[in-house]
Amino acid sequence: VQLQASGGGLVQTGGSLRLSCAASGRDFSDYAMGWSRQAPGKERELVGVIKRRGGSIYYADSVKGRFTISRDNAKNMVYLQTDSLKPEDTAVYYCAADQVFHNVVVMTPEYWGQGTQVTVSS
């Protein structure tokens, strides 16, 4: 599976961005998908994970109520809608894929995409 993230950019506090991750290579619907982020000088942290059919979603406490993960299995896409952005959301955002939901939650997925930079100005 190859993952290509896009949609990052510079936004003011309180703004929104929609990140996208395009997957190719194998049956997309066999994979749980997730987003993680890494800020400068900090460890990578989980943002959220969505199951294969989208029926169950996990979010980190830091983004609950502000970020929404969704997926379109027909288009091999997963999305991260980020609303009410804060400067502390500034990071490189990565998408991930694994056939096992738990592996994405603990950030040991089989596949990582390249990152997309999100910068939130105060």
Side-chain angles (χ1 to χ4, degrees), residues 23-87:
S24 61
R26 293 192 181 179
D27 192 348
F28 179 70
S29 62
D30 283 345
Y31 289 81
M33 301 294 297
W35 289 92
S36 297
R37 65 186 182 184
Q38 188 165 19
K42 295 186 178 181
E43 293 186 356
R44 190 172 296 192
E45 65 170 349
L46 181 70
V47 173
V49 186
I50 187 168
K51 281 193 170 180
R52 301 176 186 185
R53 308 295 179 186
S56 181
I57 301 175
Y58 168 87
Y59 292 104
D61 288 343
S62 58
V63 305
K64 277 182 183 176
R66 300 188 300 121
F67 290 11
T68 304
I69 293 179
S70 61
R71 65 188 295 163
D72 185 336
N73 286 348
K75 296 181 178 179
N76 285 12
M77 296 290 295
V78 63
Y79 306 99
L80 181 67
Q81 178 67 39
T82 66
D83 297 319
S84 302
L85 283 163
K86 306 174 182 180

Side-chain angles (χ1 to χ4, degrees), residues 87-109:
E88 52 263 43
D89 294 318
T90 295
V92 178
Y93 284 70
Y94 300 88
C95 57
D98 198 291
Q99 290 184 308
V100 179
F101 181 81
H102 177 75
N103 290 346
V104 186
V105 173
V106 298
M107 294 196 295
T108 57

